[in-house]
């Protein structure tokens, strides 16, 4: 028998009020402003923008504050907000070759045009806690040096001159959009890249790591990693021409992978590509490795049955909002479902009990 | 329904034949200005003219696209917030704004600027608004580039023992 029940309104209301109080914490400690989050927790903000799939640092900072620093909850808030926005169109593809680079390194070529520019990186720090940060916020000004302003060419272009690396030929097809149509298999590369750039960082990192450990052998070199800002240009129908509507910071990673050739392709280097909103280096490298692993079919490689080669497995489990939605719903009331299970187990036990008694009697 | 009519008005009033490079440049410049900046400079330079909305400011998004391997097929990278509006001055000039972020007041200031740049006030506004914005953006960009340049690695070979 199904009995509809209501209740809990007051408990829910009080729980939310308490949540607000806990979010604020000790009121004798100054409140954190959205601007402080945006400026001082920038990498958390970047992750929320990347996985929330909406570039707006102020909104992402607000979401982090509201979510008490729970980044997946913050991403959830951004995804929900995103669905309320009317879409005014799509930009022209951003030109990362014209990026104003804060950082640009290559693990494959020491001397390359534009040089190895480290940028504001954690690399080469000793990972020792800096207790000075707990005491005061004073920082020395960063050093400067005269910059040569010119576009920084991509590393893969050099290899292209020799024909040693596969080309990424230019085309202008309209890409599929998983925010408009459900993700379906088989997923072409454009769709995979869209899914990966908004995928959970931890999941993508784990998948990428698995390829390094030998599940789908492809030894990747970071051909290039660059972080910086690019203008976003869009055709404005009522003007009849395109304008730059703003600027975004991106992290781009191109991996170079050895490839011994297949029936259709000569031995050459192949490429994996990662491009993510914000300064999000770990994610961009992970994305490039997973992208490369998922390309096995189009390159005529063998299916080794590795998890990172399985597009359906990777893409259907990479979205942390879908995952957390389904995972966390199981804590919500399932009284009726469970009641049914309970009845069933009791019945089975009863039958089993009867049987064992009758067997003993024989 | 009303928005469709407004939209048609906007489309009908577009200028198709003129050289659009200067307009493209000032709209791009203003779209990248920090919050509140265009409005402040505009108000310091001139008194705002009367206008009628063709499209009241609205907040939305645009899908940012990129290319696989930076040069290949396009894919959808993610959205960016965007505010747009269109207005017409009493003297007939149409101004448009499409700017990153969610500031309706900034969009209004940009659209007024766009319209005024088609009037005789253009020279004043070029000097007191656009040139200022350009100088600030160049300075900001150069400052970052200079910090990046200071982190460029100078390789040197260690003296080897064999000679």
């Amino acid at each position: 028998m199904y009995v509809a029940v209501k209740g809990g309104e007051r408990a829910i209301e009080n729980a939310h009020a308490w949540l607000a109080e806990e979010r604020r914490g000790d009121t004798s400690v100054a409140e954190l402003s959205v601007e402080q989050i945006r400026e001082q927790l920038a990498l958390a903000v970047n992750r929320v923008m990347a996985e929330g799939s909406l570039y707006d640092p102020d909104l992402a900072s607000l979401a982090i504050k509201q979510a008490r620093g729970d980044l997946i909850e913050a991403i959830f808030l951004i995804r929900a907000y995103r669905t309320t926005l009317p879409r005014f169109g799509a930009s022209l593809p951003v030109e990362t070759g014209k990026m104003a680079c804060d950082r640009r390194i290559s693990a494959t070529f020491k001397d390359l045009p534009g040089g190895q520019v480290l940028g504001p990186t954690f690399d080469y720090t000793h990972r020792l806690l800096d207790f000075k940060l707990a005491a005061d916020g004073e920082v020395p000004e960063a050093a400067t040096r005269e910059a040569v302003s010119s576009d920084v060419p991509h590393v893969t272009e050099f290899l292209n001159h020799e024909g040693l690396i596969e080309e990424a030929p230019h085309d202008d097809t309209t890409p599929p959009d998983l925010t408009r149509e459900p993700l379906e298999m088989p997923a072409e590369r454009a769709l995979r890249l869209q899914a990966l750039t908004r995928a959970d960082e931890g999941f993508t990192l784990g998948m990428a790591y698995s390829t390094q450990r030998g599940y789908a052998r492809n030894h990747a070199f970071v051909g290039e990693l660059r972080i910086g800002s690019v203008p976003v240009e869009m055709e404005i129908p009522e003007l009849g021409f395109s304008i730059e509507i703003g600027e975004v910071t991106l992290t781009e990673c191109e991996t170079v992978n050895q490839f011994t050739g297949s029936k259709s392709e000569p031995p050459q280097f192949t490429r994996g590509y990662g491009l993510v909103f914000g300064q999000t280096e770990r994610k961009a490298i992970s994305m490039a490795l997973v992208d490369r692993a998922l390309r096995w079919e189009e390159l005529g490689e063998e299916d080794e049955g590795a998890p990172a080669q399985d597009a359906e497995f990777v893409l259907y489990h990479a979205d942390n909002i879908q995952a957390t939605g389904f995972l966390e719903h199981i804590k919500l009331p399932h009284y009726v479902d469970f009641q049914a299970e309970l009845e069933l187990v009791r019945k089975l036990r009863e039958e089993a009990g009867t049987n064992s008694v009758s067997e003993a009697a024989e | 329904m009303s928005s469709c009519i407004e939209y048609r008005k906007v489309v009908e009033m577009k200028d198709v034949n003129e050289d659009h490079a200067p307009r493209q440049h000032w709209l791009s410049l203003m779209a990248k200005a920090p919050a509140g900046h265009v409005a402040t400079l505009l108000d310091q330079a001139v008194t705002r003219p009367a206008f009628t909305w063709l499209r009241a400011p609205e907040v939305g998004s645009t899908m940012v696209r990129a290319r696989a391997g930076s040069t290949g097929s396009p894919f959808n990278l993610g959205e960016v917030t965007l505010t747009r509006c269109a207005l017409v001055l009493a003297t007939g000039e149409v101004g448009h704004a499409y700017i990153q972020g969610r500031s309706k007041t900034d969009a209004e200031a940009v659209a007024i600027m766009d319209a005024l740049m088609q009037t005789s006030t253009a020279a004043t506004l070029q000097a007191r608004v656009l040139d200022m914005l350009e100088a600030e953006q160049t300075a900001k960009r150069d400052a970052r580039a200079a910090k990046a340049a200071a982190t460029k690695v100078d390789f040197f070979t260690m003296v080897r023992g064999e000679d």
Side-chain angles (χ1 to χ4, degrees):
Chain A
M1 182 177 59
Y2 178 75
V3 185
V5 287
K6 278 183 71 170
E9 283 93 342
R10 184 187 292 167
I12 290 169
E13 221 168 82
N14 291 344
H16 289 172
W18 194 18
L19 166 67
E21 200 180 283
E22 289 283 301
R23 174 190 296 124
R24 176 61 185 86
D26 183 348
T27 51
S28 67
V29 176
E31 191 185 346
L32 189 59
S33 74
V34 168
E35 292 75 20
Q36 286 171 334
I37 295 171
R38 187 190 64 212
E39 297 301 316
Q40 297 175 42
L41 295 176
L43 300 190
V45 172
N46 287 342
R47 180 170 176 192
V48 171
M49 293 197 299
E51 294 171 37
S53 203
L54 183 68
Y55 196 100
D56 188 315
D58 292 312
L59 279 181
S61 306
L62 174 63
I64 291 169
K65 179 171 178 171
Q66 188 178 333
R68 307 179 67 195
D70 179 338
L71 297 189
I72 291 183
E73 182 71 19
I75 292 159
F76 202 158
L77 294 169
I78 292 297
R79 290 273 186 95
Y81 178 83
R82 192 203 65 80
T83 61
T84 68
L85 294 173
R87 177 89 59 89
F88 295 161
S91 83
L92 301 175
V94 290
E95 293 192 41
T96 55
K98 294 198 170 138
M99 182 183 278
C101 295
D102 286 350
R103 171 166 167 81
R104 189 281 198 122
I105 53 168
S106 170
T108 51
F109 296 101
K110 180 167 71 72
D111 299 302
L112 72 168
Q116 306 273 356
V117 176
L118 302 182
T121 178
F122 290 126
D123 294 352
Y124 316 108
T125 63
H126 296 101
R127 267 74 184 215
L128 298 173
L129 274 177
D130 180 1
F131 290 99
K132 279 209 306 280
L133 285 174
D136 67 57
E138 292 294 308
V139 283
E141 226 173 284
T144 59
R145 189 161 86 169
E146 203 186 330
V148 190
S149 67
S150 65
D151 292 344
V152 183
H154 278 105
V155 166
T156 44
E157 283 176 29
F158 316 143
L159 287 169
N160 269 350
H161 293 323
E162 282 186 75
L164 291 180
I165 190 161
E166 59 158 337
E167 304 258 0
H170 194 90
D171 75 59
D172 281 316
T173 48
T174 302
D177 184 354
L178 62 79
T179 68
R180 291 297 158 96
E181 276 141 40
L183 180 61
E184 273 175 20
M185 299 298 143
E188 61 178 287
R189 191 172 181 208
L191 202 55
R192 300 198 299 256
L193 289 171
Q194 184 184 12
L196 288 176
T197 191
R198 72 212 296 263
D200 183 73
E201 178 175 311
F203 179 87
T204 317
L205 171 66
M207 278 292 139
Y209 181 45
S210 76
T211 70
Q212 289 187 293
R213 291 193 64 253
Y215 291 89
R217 37 130 214 232
N218 54 72
H219 183 257
F221 292 99
V222 172
E224 178 163 357
L225 180 72
R226 56 170 67 192
I227 303 173
S229 64
V230 292
V232 177
E233 196 173 335
M234 180 180 168
E235 289 283 349
I236 309 297
E238 53 270 35
L239 288 172
F241 54 84
S242 68
I243 62 165
E244 290 170 12
I245 53 103
E247 221 170 16
V248 293
T249 297
L250 300 175
T251 302
E252 182 185 52
C253 176
E254 285 224 73
T255 56
V256 175
N257 301 62
Q258 202 190 58
F259 180 63
T260 51
S262 67
K263 279 180 202 136
S264 55
E265 305 291 331
Q268 60 180 350
F269 291 106
T270 55
R271 300 158 68 168
Y273 190 64
L275 186 70
V276 185
F277 278 156
Q279 179 176 343
T280 41
E281 188 167 304
R282 185 183 303 115
K283 171 68 180 288
I285 301 171
S286 303
M287 176 177 168
L289 263 61
V290 177
D291 169 51
R292 176 60 188 81
L294 290 174
R295 297 186 61 216
W296 66 273
E297 211 165 355
E298 67 206 45
L299 292 169
E301 290 177 326
E302 254 174 69
D303 178 8
E304 299 183 16
Q309 287 182 309
D310 185 342
E312 190 169 328
F313 179 81
V314 173
L315 302 181
Y316 280 157
H317 300 103
D319 190 286
N320 54 23
I321 300 310
Q322 281 172 6
T324 205
F326 197 62
L327 182 108
E328 293 200 48
H329 101 279
I330 63 171
K331 71 193 170 184
L332 300 175
H334 281 67
Y335 307 139
V336 178
D337 304 45
F338 188 68
Q339 193 65 38
E341 300 264 321
L342 202 58
E343 292 295 326
L344 181 67
V345 172
R346 280 190 184 130
K347 204 173 153 207
L348 289 171
R349 278 176 66 95
E350 237 168 60
E351 283 169 16
T354 322
N355 287 348
S356 62
V357 170
S358 57
E359 275 164 26
E362 277 171 13
Chain B
M1 188 62 199
S2 69
S3 70
C4 291
I5 294 165
E6 280 164 19
Y7 184 76
R8 263 187 49 190
K9 249 194 306 191
V10 172
V11 173
E12 280 166 13
M13 297 192 80
K14 76 180 179 186
D15 307 302
V16 277
N17 293 320
E18 66 176 358
D19 171 26
H20 56 244
R23 193 175 185 191
Q24 193 173 29
H25 183 72
W26 75 58
L27 284 170
S28 300
L29 185 66
M30 291 190 289
K32 291 180 287 184
H37 221 55
V38 175
T40 309
L41 291 173
L42 170 68
D43 291 331
Q44 282 168 5
V46 293
T47 312
R48 293 193 188 201
F51 67 83
T52 313
W53 288 119
L54 293 174
R55 176 193 275 144
E58 55 176 337
V59 176
S61 75
T62 190
M63 177 57 88
V64 180
R65 292 201 175 132
R67 291 185 182 281
S70 79
T71 55
S73 309
F75 69 97
N76 291 307
L77 184 65
E79 285 162 86
V80 60
T81 50
L82 188 64
T83 304
R84 70 175 175 187
C85 66
L87 50 79
V88 59
L89 302 185
T91 46
E93 292 81 7
V94 175
H96 292 284
Y98 270 82
I99 62 168
Q100 182 175 7
R102 291 164 294 115
S103 173
K104 293 182 178 181
T105 53
D106 283 341
E108 178 180 327
V110 168
I112 291 173
M113 273 293 298
D114 182 42
L116 284 177
M117 282 304 291
Q118 302 163 53
T119 68
S120 56
T121 4
T124 312
L125 293 172
Q126 179 68 47
R128 299 188 57 183
V129 180
L130 299 177
D131 290 351
M132 306 280 273
L133 290 176
E134 184 105 55
E136 277 170 14
Q137 283 178 27
T138 309
K140 198 177 153 199
R141 195 180 167 104
D142 288 352
R144 276 197 98 76
K147 284 179 195 171
T151 68
K152 186 167 158 180
V153 180
D154 296 315
F155 288 104
F156 54 91
T157 309
M158 306 291 280
V159 178
R160 291 194 286 195
E162 64 252 36
D163 45 39

